[in-house]
Amino acid sequence: MRVLVVEDERRMAAALQRGLRAEGFAVDLAHDGEEGLHLASTGEYDIVVLDIMLPRLSGYNVCKRLREAENWVPVLMLSAKDGEYDMADGLDLGADDYLTKPFSYVVLVARLRALLRRGGGRRPSVLRAGDLTLDPARRLVRRQEKTIDLTPREFALLEFLMRHPDEVVSKAEILEHVWDTYDTDPNVVEVYVGYLRRKIDAPFGRGAVQTVRGAGYRLASDGG
């Protein structure tokens, strides 16, 4: 899942980026409110982590302008402002959650996953495609009651496909959301799709991951 972190304290921003990438998220950074608003308005993000005390444009105003533009990307406000009115203001302006600094990193990740389940349509806590299941919080994949060991990149690829069942997704889309870049050779997607098929499909005689020639890949909602 693709996350935008808007945080002017650069060490904090870099730490969040490293930690969230380790959890399988693709992460972009913005260091002021105007840049954050621009990226959130023009990019395709699954969630925004937004500080309040930002230069050029406050987090309150970033969130307000997004909602005025009918941009409903889930927003988690992250701030040292811990007064009850500060929290109420953020939520009333359209934020979906509010976490005060200092915060528990475990709680931050759990809240992000909760927002992903609630926002942007149906996002169940455990993803299912027939007898294939993926639990993002527990980092667990199972098929026919057997646990399947995946690398972090394979897991992120499968999660992205399972969050878009029966949809054709291009190599470019996969690179953006799973590899966090456009510059990687697109053929790496084909390589990792092959790895995934050898683990989740071939041993079970199934074909969940399907190639759509000239367009990309599709994960069958019935598990293939």
Side-chain angles (χ1 to χ4, degrees):
M1 296 293 101
R2 194 166 190 83
V3 180
L4 173 63
V5 174
V6 189
E7 167 63 65
D8 63 321
E9 208 288 299
R10 291 178 180 266
R11 290 180 62 185
M12 170 69 76
L16 284 169
Q17 185 177 52
R18 288 194 301 270
L20 291 175
R21 281 179 171 173
E23 293 290 334
F25 293 98
V27 184
D28 289 340
L29 298 179
H31 299 296
D32 65 69
E34 288 188 2
E35 181 187 15
L37 178 61
H38 173 71
L39 290 176
S41 300
T42 59
E44 293 186 0
Y45 293 98
D46 300 293
I47 198 162
V48 175
V49 177
L50 180 64
D51 192 18
I52 291 177
M53 302 299 289
L54 295 167
R56 303 180 71 183
L57 191 68
S58 75
Y60 289 137
N61 283 322
V62 172
C63 189
K64 183 173 183 288
R65 293 190 188 184
L66 286 173
R67 298 314 187 222
E68 287 175 346
E70 297 189 355
N71 184 328
W72 305 112
V73 60
V75 172
L76 184 148
M77 282 191 167
L78 190 64
S79 178
K81 295 169 70 70
D82 60 356
E84 60 184 11
Y85 290 106
D86 297 316
M87 297 182 191
D89 287 344
L91 296 171
D92 286 343
L93 286 170
D96 300 281
D97 202 353
Y98 191 112
L99 191 61
T100 58
K101 301 175 184 176
F103 57 89
S104 161
Y105 186 75
V106 172
V107 172
L108 171 64
V109 172
R111 289 194 177 191
L112 290 178
R113 293 204 178 279
L115 289 178
L116 286 170
R117 291 197 297 271
R118 297 204 306 262
R122 183 175 177 271
R123 293 182 183 271
S125 58
V126 176
L127 306 177
R128 300 181 184 276
D131 59 357
L132 177 66
T133 63
L134 181 148
D135 185 334
R138 296 171 62 199
R139 311 293 292 176
L140 183 65
V141 175
R142 293 176 64 83
R143 182 156 224 175
Q144 295 180 6
E145 303 307 317
K146 295 181 180 179
T147 300
I148 302 172
D149 292 325
L150 299 180
T151 67
R153 188 77 72 189
E154 292 165 352
F155 188 96
L157 173 58
L158 180 59
E159 180 178 1
F160 181 69
L161 293 172
M162 291 186 73
R163 289 193 183 276
H164 300 82
D166 294 327
E167 296 180 21
V168 178
V169 292
S170 68
K171 289 182 179 180
E173 289 176 293
I174 292 172
L175 283 175
E176 179 184 0
H177 287 267
V178 177
W179 270 263
D180 196 19
T181 180
Y182 294 102
D183 298 331
T184 303
D185 185 345
N187 289 328
V188 74
V189 176
E190 185 175 344
V191 171
Y192 272 82
V193 166
Y195 293 159
L196 204 54
R197 283 171 169 157
R198 286 196 286 274
K199 291 184 177 181
I200 70 168
D201 280 341
F204 305 95
R206 308 297 289 275
V209 182
Q210 303 169 351
T211 299
V212 181
R213 295 194 179 279
Y217 299 95
R218 174 175 56 214
L219 188 127
S221 60
D222 62 1

